Amino acid sequence: MVEMTDIRNIVILTGAGVSAESGIDTFRDAGGLWEKHRVEDVATPEAFARDPDLVHRFYDMRRAAIQTKKPNDAHYALAELDRHWRGEGRNLLIVTQNVDDLHERAGAERLLHMHGEHLVALCQACEIRSPWTGPMQHRPPCPICGTPSLRPDVVWFGEMPYHIPEIYSAIRTADLFVSIGTSGAVYPAAGFVRDAKQQGAKTLELNLEPSQGSHFFDEARYGPATEVVPEWVDELLDL
Ligand code: NAD
């Protein structure tokens, strides 16, 4: 087993729980429903093809909401760890399933959004991504090609997550894998802990309650992210 003092390469997977105390609902908080639709049914390519107005309305609302929220102490602690660890020439990668921008607003830099970002529009005509803060329901033109065929740049159920080769390459060399505020229900992210463990990484879960894959972790600490994450980061940086 890897000693904490030997750790040089950390991969941190975050989920909706890390942003919950910033006031952004997790799927479970919202009861998994939005306007009587299952969230999973709004977040699919089939739903977008069937009823684009409904899907745009959902994402326009989420996009507007996240811009009123602020990073919390868990986001700041992870950004601080990123800064410190980089100063010491050590590797760290935050892989987030979140589509909000709270990690980067807190100052994290080594970050990948595997499920895309609310504040980015993807043009289905020219396939170019553009920063986007406003609504899409009125079908605005793409700022690059002018075609009114923008969609939210979020990875829907049934679509391929982003950055998979970079994520697996970081997991292959990780000596510590940490999962924070994720239910372990959505693949492939839910399988990362097994891959990390198989290649010898120490594994740690920080969550409000045991996730579906909690038995795969060597260690777990349960509590609100704004408490358990800063405590863990302080311990690591005090080593
Ligand atoms: P999830 O809703 O399935 O699970 C949330 C997890 O967070 C649960 O395990 C819960 O116990 C934990 N949690 C809740 N409050 C917490 C707190 N205060 N501190 C620590 N943990 C807490 O979310 P998921 O696992 O991220 O996966 C579902 C999908 O939902 C992802 O694909 C993600 O893209 C999407 N999503 C993103 C956001 C966001 O961007 N903020 C919000 C909701 C859903």
Side-chain angles (χ1 to χ4, degrees), residues 14-202:
T14 68
V18 83
S19 296
E21 290 162 88
S22 291
I24 301 177
D25 281 352
T26 65
F27 277 0
R28 286 181 192 198
D29 286 339
L33 289 181
W34 177 71
E35 291 190 1
K36 300 194 183 135
H37 302 279
R38 291 196 323 149
V39 175
E40 292 88 333
D41 291 341
V42 183
T44 63
E46 292 77 19
F48 189 56
R50 193 170 52 235
D51 193 346
D53 281 339
L54 175 81
V55 174
H56 273 312
R57 211 147 39 83
F58 174 68
Y59 283 97
D60 284 357
M61 181 202 71
R62 301 282 298 190
R63 193 178 309 107
I66 65 157
Q67 294 175 75
T68 67
K69 310 298 181 190
K70 293 193 170 63
N72 63 46
D73 288 348
H75 299 106
Y76 284 115
L78 294 176
E80 177 65 13
L81 177 60
D82 180 20
R83 233 183 337 267
H84 245 84
W85 219 243
R86 185 203 321 269
E88 297 186 1
R90 300 185 192 215
N91 295 317
L92 177 145
L93 179 64
I94 300 171
V95 176
T96 189
Q97 298 168 88
N98 294 344
V99 288
D100 66 51
D101 63 340
L102 299 185
H103 281 305
E104 47 269 58
R105 272 202 262 150
E109 290 183 13
R110 293 181 287 183
L111 169 73
L112 293 176
H113 279 276
M114 67 177 290
H115 290 164
E117 297 171 65
H118 268 325
L119 300 183
V120 178
L122 171 62
C123 176
Q124 296 172 103
C126 69
E127 298 184 355
I128 294 179
R129 294 178 167 81
S130 305
W132 201 267
T133 52
M136 290 184 196
Q137 209 189 331
H138 59 297
R139 308 299 195 280
C142 165
I144 307 298
C145 73
T147 312
S149 46
L150 298 176
R151 60 163 275 185
D153 189 23
V154 297
V155 174
W156 285 325
F157 289 95
E159 294 184 321
M160 180 66 95
Y162 297 158
H163 310 297
I164 290 297
E166 292 132 285
I167 294 169
Y168 278 112
S169 135
I171 289 175
R172 268 195 295 279
T173 57
D175 31 44
L176 176 63
F177 174 84
V178 188
S179 172
I180 305 176
T182 175
S183 59
V186 180
Y187 280 83
F192 292 164
V193 58
R194 261 173 289 175
D195 299 314
K197 210 173 160 62
Q198 242 163 31
Q199 62 78 40
K202 187 176 157 60

